[in-house]
Amino acid sequence: MAGSAGRRLAELLVGASNGALGAAGGRVAGVYLRTGTPGLLRLAVLVGLPGPLFRPWWRLHVRRPFPVADAFRLGVPVVLPNAAETVRRYPQFAAGLPFPFGSVHVPVPGGTEPLGVLTVLRAAAPDGEDVSPDPDLPARLAQGLGAELVALAAGDETVLTWEDEPLCVRPPCARPARTRVGRFTWDPATSAVRADERLHTLLELSPDGFEGTGAALADAVSPADAPRLLSALRDTAAGKPPPAPLAVTPAPGAAPLLVDLGPAGEPGTGGAPGLVSGFVCAPGPAATADGAADLLPQGVFCLDRVGTVVYANPAVARMLGRERSALVGRPLGEAMPWLNGPPYDDHLRGALLSLESAHAHVRRPPEGDPAAGDWLALSLHPGPDLVTCTLVPASRVEAPAGHGAAHPRDLGHLPEEPVPEAARAPSYRPIALALALTDAVTARQVSEVVMQELLPAFGTKRLAIYLLQERHLYLAWQSGFPKGFLEQFDGVGLDARLPGAETLTAGRPLFFDSIRQMAATYPDMPLDAEEGARAFLPLISSGRPVGACVLGFDRARGFGTEERTVLTALAGLIAHALEKAQRYDSEAALARGLQQALLPRRLSAHPQVETVGRYLPGTTGMDVGGDWYDVVEAGDGLALVIGDVQGHGVQAAATMGQLRSAVRAFALGDRPPDEVMSGTNHLLIGLDPGQFASCCYVRLDPATGVARVARAGHPPPLLREPDGRTVALDLPGGVVLGVDAGARYPVAELRLAPDAILALYTDGLVERPGTDIDDGIAGLCGALARAGASAVRRGGRSLGAVADRLTATARRAADRPDDVALLLAARRTGGRERAEGRAGDGLA
């Protein structure tokens, strides 16, 4: 947003974020605001963390299982005092930021729904303690921000939407002590000292009590160093000043002072000593640190809390072959681009959030040759305002016992052979795998995630997963193994003396550095002729055996202690995901049956109105959900209904059935559209399923074509006029059902001309990850215009063909993330009047 309103909005958001940092003792704060896309929030301001490190959370849908989304949707603060509570309530959020921290997320009030969410990430609080001394203070800050934003908007809430990248702001610093300087002159002939007021203040000298001699000055500056200081005064008077300022200690344990001496003029004639000019300086800690770091042989650089390099010593500049001016003042991604991406982003996030030191090995590729380069040992040491980083050649780091790639938080031996990036960070893999597995709900999806996240980290492409059924192991997924090797394990019982069975019965992994070693352990087992290593991992979830996982390697190799530990942990994650997938299978079968029973098999018919519906389940998660549509007789007209219940699964389908029944009952009574929405809203709040729903209700008079429309947080209907013009109808609407008992649902009126097409749809048809829903709606508008024109050219007006064309792309998509529902209606005149509500239209 440009102009004064935009600047004022930014000032308010930054001020509230800075205030929240202090209120909750936070390290990172920010404000999410609504966007022009219903249900989508954007991060508007981020204080205390480099923006790119928070990029996965720049956009959040209010339906996502995240604390920010819950705070906005439910209108109540979400307080997570520590990591344990975060993992318990929001495992996906915790997996993305696997560090010990707490957080506070407070809705910013402003009318019927919040304007946004004020969020703070802070140090973890001990069990039983609040996240801040005054737990209500963040809420008061959010209320104050809401009042300021409402006043700024002056009735136009579009002023308060955010569509751009977040403003990334440095937090207020705990400023170091300012450098203090006092000046004096010394006359060696009389030993008289003339000091300015600043020196009296610096040394706490009383003008009446100070003798004003060189000896008195030296004793006031540093009693212990007085003789050395007097000698330096005399040498300076003789024309031999010290080559550098003298560092003296005023008192035991006190911060040092610097004394800089020089001639006040030319030495006196005839060899007589001249006046001496001096400065006494008490440098702040930053100046002292910079001066010391400049002399260190190891590379040192500092980052502020938005990721900008604010200091680099000469050693790091030499090591990187760049001028200090090319490093300082630049974002880390520009100054050292080879430190971008995982796992280094993860280390920096952890340092800034948890204030714990982190260590990693990195390879700096030389210019023009990414395959080669120097191995460096990186350490991150965070403070309140800065992260101090050190870089040294990895060969200088003492190697620990054992072998293999270095642990990213334990600098150690660096292999001579370059290893994959992911393999140099085995502790990062459980985080990445856990995050990826959160969206995998079928055994096939789990296996695909393991292929993508696990195998590259350990340098293999061979994977087999067996599932346990009735005490026998059956192959569920395999990739890369030579033909015949896996067949001997398929269908074997748990009593078989085979590694796949014994790893599960013993509950421990089995590692074989070579086929020869495995043959010695299992002499009766047929083996493939290839050389290579094998790892058999038990898949056990909550004490329940699920199956076994086999990893194969092309060549013989050893498995280090750390690698074995990580593989065992990863097997637990896979087992948990597979157990969830098995539960999904049974729940999905139940939900599919429930949903098939609830969706209409035949739409209510009318001689002047043609209607057709289409429904497509999602394919990437639970493939049943809460989308529904219906056509109901309402007096002498028809009610066209479409809705979308939050979430998927049996609960969403059950809630959908209750809402569909309620809307049908209201429609059969020919209640006005606003009363239908209000009544259904109260019903959903009374049911308290913990879910909300969007809905669009159209009461159509077939004789006149007058349609009265009420919307509850649902995408706008589309209208294709007989001449081909197609628009998204900008109709007023209310909030989603199930949130606000006092919500109002305004009614808009339009006219459906003969042969015009009215399209109602759910967001699954127009919303795709990474794209704006408005673009999806515009694309559907164009598709409706073309589909209608094609039907007319072919001499037919059947809506079935139009509906099939509108859903063709979604039908072919292998990764359809959400359900799709579509309802089309058209008024017909003349002898071709009919209503298309055949069995099956509702289940296509």
Side-chain angles (χ1 to χ4, degrees), residues 415-808:
E416 294 182 2
E417 293 292 330
V419 294
E421 185 78 18
R424 296 199 303 275
S427 70
Y428 180 77
R429 305 321 304 172
I431 299 167
L433 186 63
L435 188 61
L437 286 174
T438 56
D439 294 326
V441 294
T442 67
R444 181 181 181 87
Q445 290 170 356
V446 171
S447 302
E448 290 174 344
V449 168
V450 174
M451 287 283 294
Q452 296 166 3
E453 294 292 338
L454 177 60
L455 300 192
F458 292 90
T460 181
K461 297 180 180 179
R462 299 183 180 185
L463 168 73
I465 292 179
Y466 292 84
L467 295 180
L468 182 65
Q469 298 177 17
E470 298 180 353
R471 296 186 58 80
H472 286 72
L473 291 170
Y474 295 95
L475 182 64
W477 176 273
Q478 78 88 18
S479 176
F481 276 100
K483 186 177 181 180
F485 176 75
L486 298 173
E487 294 176 359
Q488 58 193 313
F489 306 125
D490 194 15
V492 302
L494 291 184
D495 55 351
R497 191 174 185 276
L498 292 171
E502 290 191 346
T503 188
L504 191 56
T505 55
R508 59 183 178 83
L510 301 175
F511 297 97
F512 301 97
D513 295 350
S514 66
I515 293 293
R516 196 170 297 130
Q517 183 186 22
M518 189 163 60
T521 307
Y522 297 94
D524 298 329
M525 185 178 72
L527 299 173
D528 52 336
E530 294 187 13
E531 284 293 326
R534 298 287 186 267
F536 294 81
L537 309 175
L539 301 180
I540 300 174
S541 176
S542 302
R544 176 180 174 271
V546 176
C549 176
V550 186
L551 296 179
F553 299 85
D554 295 338
R555 292 177 291 181
R557 69 187 297 270
F559 294 91
T561 301
E562 180 189 356
E563 200 169 31
R564 292 175 183 235
T565 301
V566 171
L567 281 171
T568 304
L570 293 172
L573 291 174
I574 297 168
H576 178 74
L578 287 171
E579 185 183 40
K580 182 180 70 173
Q582 290 174 333
R583 291 197 305 268
Y584 158 82
D585 288 337
S586 58
E587 183 181 353
L590 174 62
R592 277 193 295 269
L594 176 62
Q595 190 173 46
Q596 294 289 336
L598 292 174
L599 285 172
R601 287 189 170 272
R602 183 178 298 277
L603 303 179
S604 296
H606 192 283
Q608 290 180 281
V609 179
E610 180 183 0
T611 60
V612 66
R614 294 289 184 263
Y615 173 80
L616 302 175
T619 60
T620 59
M622 172 70 75
D623 61 352
V624 290
D627 290 20
W628 92 94
Y629 60 86
D630 208 350
V631 178
V632 188
E633 294 180 6
D636 56 356
L638 287 180
L640 312 174
V641 190
I642 196 162
D644 183 2
V645 177
Q646 169 212 11
H648 296 80
V650 174
Q651 179 62 55
T655 302
M656 177 267 282
Q658 292 170 311
L659 293 185
R660 177 173 176 260
S661 298
V663 173
R664 285 186 68 87
F666 288 128
L668 289 170
D670 203 14
R671 301 275 292 278
D674 55 336
E675 292 186 19
V676 174
M677 289 289 96
S678 297
T680 308
N681 181 46
H682 284 103
L683 172 69
L684 184 56
I685 292 175
L687 292 172
D688 191 23
Q691 295 172 302
F692 59 85
S694 67
C695 186
C696 183
Y697 182 92
V698 180
R699 203 289 189 183
L700 175 64
D701 183 346
T704 64
V706 173
R708 305 181 70 235
V709 185
R711 287 197 303 146
H714 202 81
L718 306 183
L719 179 62
R720 185 189 187 278
E721 298 287 5
D723 61 4
R725 289 183 298 111
T726 307
V727 295
L729 299 173
D730 185 15
L731 306 177
V735 299
V736 292
L737 306 173
V739 173
D740 180 9
R744 295 290 181 266
Y745 298 95
V747 177
E749 189 170 294
L750 59 96
R751 184 177 181 276
L752 190 63
D755 292 332
I757 299 175
L758 182 67
L760 309 180
Y761 55 94
T762 57
D763 57 8
L765 190 58
V766 293
E767 191 171 36
R768 289 291 181 272
T771 62
D772 196 302
I773 192 173
D774 290 339
D775 296 335
I777 293 173
L780 185 62
C781 267
L784 178 59
R786 292 189 298 272
S790 177
V792 171
R793 284 197 303 271
R794 295 181 181 182
R797 293 183 293 180
S798 170
L799 287 187
V802 176
D804 289 338
R805 292 195 61 175
L806 295 184
T807 56

Side-chain angles (χ1 to χ4, degrees), residues 101-114:
F101 71 95
S103 58
V104 181
H105 313 270
V106 185
V108 178
T112 57
E113 69 174 3

Side-chain angles (χ1 to χ4, degrees), residues 182-195 199 203 210 212-222 225-246 248 258-265 267-268 271-280:
R183 184 174 181 176
F184 69 91
T185 57
W186 177 67
D187 186 348
T190 62
S191 194
V193 170
R194 297 181 59 185
L199 185 61
L203 300 180
F210 178 53
T213 64
L217 175 66
D219 191 61
V221 172
S222 173
D225 292 306
R228 184 164 66 97
L229 184 53
L230 281 171
S231 177
L233 285 170
R234 288 192 290 268
D235 289 344
T236 303
K240 299 178 180 180
L246 302 176
V248 296
L258 297 179
V259 181
D260 192 11
L261 302 176
L275 293 176
V276 173
S277 175
F279 295 87
V280 179

